[in-house]
Amino acid sequence: MLPILTFGPEGDEWRYDRDTKSYDLTRGVPSPGFTIRATRGRAGTSITLAPSLSALVVVDMQNFFLHPRCTDHPTGLVAVERTLEVIRKCREIDVKIIWLNWGLNDGDLTTMPAAAQRTFSSSLITPPLDKRSERYGFGSDMGEGRGRLLMEDSWNARLYDPLQDVRRPDSDVFCNKNRISGLWNSETPLAKELVAGGYRTLLFAGVNTDQCVLGTLADAYYQGWDCIMVEDCCATKTPGGQDVTVYNARRYGLVVDSRSIAEGLLA
């Protein structure tokens, strides 16, 4: 068997070296590649990506999902710290930062499917024990100055403060979404930005791992992008959800962590 395996169509292929257990996702781009260690799968596996073709997609790290005024998400707050470390590294090597967040407008409310509406209207069905967890539907007033639920420009839909502080409006990409997935069709803001920017390799961070992160990652996989989950930059409150989702992410692509990115080599 040949030592070099090739996956994918000509011009958009991955190369895998069986001897060195290394994936090459650079597509022959002449600029230096960035090599990181995989944390799941065959021990000793490495991944080399092209920074100019890569983006870090930070999903739903908003006040609604993280701030103590809206929820209690301790593992999410840990993921924020790890994500800040990865953002610093991505800026060093010129990997684009994409902020993907819920950000609805009134037009979205008129076309929102029933199942999606129900998900964020749980308090209409079962009264919550914790007032912070009240969910009366998209666009409802959360009270206490938090704004309308997940509407664009509301306080609850804003990036969580530590991330708000490091965003760069002049160079980062900001995409609103109106479904669990930011890639549920080819006309979403994220889909258009990825195509326009020529990005092929996507690293994923965010909350919740088994919901909006997985939804977007899976749709990216179905549509042909490289998917790399940064496992400790993702978190969920679902019992058992983190382990199962990270395990299955290996089927959609590759898995790394913040340490492997911090220790990555540009050469």
Side-chain angles (χ1 to χ4, degrees):
M1 186 179 293
L2 294 175
I4 304 296
L5 305 179
T6 302
F7 304 101
E10 185 176 355
D12 194 34
E13 64 265 30
W14 293 9
R15 293 169 62 83
Y16 178 71
D17 188 317
R18 291 165 52 86
D19 293 335
T20 61
K21 296 183 287 187
S22 58
Y23 287 95
D24 180 349
L25 279 54
T26 64
R27 279 117 173 134
V29 171
S31 59
F34 182 62
T35 300
I36 52 182
R37 172 180 49 82
T39 54
R40 303 282 174 149
R42 191 179 178 193
T45 296
S46 66
I47 308 155
T48 300
L49 53 84
S52 62
L53 300 181
S54 304
L56 172 68
V57 182
V58 183
V59 182
D60 288 359
M61 284 192 157
Q62 301 165 268
N63 285 329
F64 181 84
F65 298 102
L66 292 167
H67 199 285
R69 289 180 62 196
C70 297
T71 190
D72 181 23
H73 201 333
T75 59
L77 299 183
V78 173
V80 168
E81 295 303 314
R82 301 290 83 77
T83 300
L84 290 168
E85 295 170 7
V86 170
I87 288 171
R88 285 193 289 270
K89 187 67 175 186
C90 286
R91 296 206 192 283
E92 288 178 16
I93 63 173
D94 291 327
V95 167
K96 181 64 70 175
I97 309 298
I98 299 178
W99 305 96
L100 176 66
N101 294 319
W102 282 97
L104 303 173
N105 57 50
D106 287 320
D108 292 324
L109 301 184
T110 66
T111 59
M112 190 68 66
Q117 288 185 3
R118 174 183 174 275
T119 299
F120 285 84
S121 304
S122 58
S123 298
L124 297 173
I125 300 169
T126 306
L129 298 176
D130 184 344
K131 187 174 177 61
R132 294 178 303 171
S133 301
E134 290 180 339
R135 306 289 184 260
Y136 292 107
F138 292 123
S140 62
D141 186 355
M142 295 186 69
E144 300 177 348
R146 293 175 295 177
R148 296 172 66 195
L149 196 150
L150 291 179
M151 299 294 285
E152 61 182 340
D153 299 325
S154 66
W155 177 86
N156 73 89
R158 194 177 74 178
L159 285 169
Y160 182 56
D161 284 347
L163 298 163
Q164 180 83 357
D165 292 343
V166 301
R167 79 198 194 289
R168 293 183 180 176
D170 58 335
S171 58
D172 294 348
V173 174
F174 299 83
C175 296
N176 285 337
K177 65 183 179 71
N178 57 11
R179 296 293 192 277
I180 290 291
S181 169
L183 288 170
W184 68 280
N185 69 49
S186 61
E187 295 301 310
T188 66
L190 178 60
K192 291 179 178 179
E193 288 287 352
L194 294 179
V195 171
Y199 303 110
R200 298 302 305 134
T201 301
L202 308 180
L203 298 102
F204 286 91
V207 294
N208 284 294
T209 315
D210 55 331
Q211 298 169 43
C212 292
V213 177
L214 176 61
T216 305
L217 185 152
D219 278 344
Y221 165 75
Y222 301 146
Q223 296 174 47
W225 279 283
D226 310 338
C227 298
I228 302 176
M229 176 177 280
V230 190
E231 60 175 302
D232 61 339
C233 293
C234 300
T236 183
K237 298 196 291 183
T238 304
Q242 181 76 7
D243 290 341
V244 170
T245 307
V246 172
Y247 179 85
N248 286 331
R250 299 182 305 158
R251 310 303 179 192
Y252 296 116
L254 300 158
V255 180
V256 301
D257 64 13
S258 60
R259 180 176 178 180
S260 64
I261 292 175
E263 295 176 349
L265 298 175
L266 190 65

